[in-house]
Amino acid sequence: MGDDDNSLREGPLENRLTGSKWKMRMYAYEELEKAYRNEVDGEAPLYTKFAKSLPAFIADKNAPAQEKALDLVLAFLDRAECAKKYAPPMCGKLVEATLGQRSKNRDKGVEALALIVEIEAPVEPVVQALLEGSGNKNPKLATQAVKALVHLVQCFGARLFPL
């Protein structure tokens, strides 16, 4: 790791999360994910501090940075007590920003949608986002949205989904 990488890891986390350099954002996502995973208290202020920014992190245009942002979202959904409250606004971004992407990011996006259903957050935003995704003009995204919906129905049962 050179001096350039060290400079990308320095400074306030809030600034690095929204920085213009993708590598800086990627390192910041990693740092926040580690903080989430190491936090013992599910009601810690750390979770609510960045919760409203998670949809923007999901929509990162750089694939490696987006992958780290998805790891961050998975850690948030897994650990935070407030995840039910902040999960519904993430659904649309998870579908539109990840399902048409490379397979790693797509799989993490589907995993995040499954976690949202698993934590008993409202299911309607997940279904709505996937149904909107299935009508997308990008055939890859539309196909993956249908596959994701089928996967969730197989995992959680049809009764859970208001289709």
Side-chain angles (χ1 to χ4, degrees), residues 83-116:
K84 287 181 191 179
K85 177 181 175 185
Y86 293 103
M90 286 187 240
C91 297
K93 287 292 181 191
L94 282 166
V95 170
E96 71 184 47
T98 66
L99 295 187
Q101 298 296 321
R102 62 187 192 167
S103 63
K104 246 189 222 182
N105 292 9
R106 181 177 55 243
D107 293 345
K108 288 181 182 187
V110 172
E111 185 181 348
L113 291 168
L115 260 176
I116 290 171

Side-chain angles (χ1 to χ4, degrees), residues 123-137:
V123 177
E124 290 80 12
V126 174
V127 174
Q128 183 65 34
L130 287 169
L131 289 176
E132 287 175 9
S134 69
N136 193 291
K137 61 183 176 185

Side-chain angles (χ1 to χ4, degrees), residues 3-62:
D3 290 334
D4 199 29
D5 276 356
N6 285 335
S7 69
L8 295 175
R9 295 177 188 265
E10 295 172 353
L13 183 61
E14 294 85 2
N15 294 347
R16 290 184 291 131
L17 286 167
T18 58
S20 61
K21 296 182 179 180
W22 69 268
K23 230 176 189 177
M24 179 185 291
R25 291 191 311 273
M26 185 178 76
Y27 292 145
Y29 296 151
E30 284 178 335
E31 184 180 325
L32 187 55
E33 180 208 356
K34 286 177 187 170
Y36 280 172
R37 297 242 184 245
N38 292 332
E39 182 59 57
V40 179
D41 182 11
E43 297 176 4
L46 173 67
Y47 292 113
T48 55
K49 185 175 183 179
F50 298 105
K52 289 185 179 177
S53 301
L54 291 175
F57 300 163
I58 292 167
D60 199 304
K61 297 293 183 197
N62 183 275

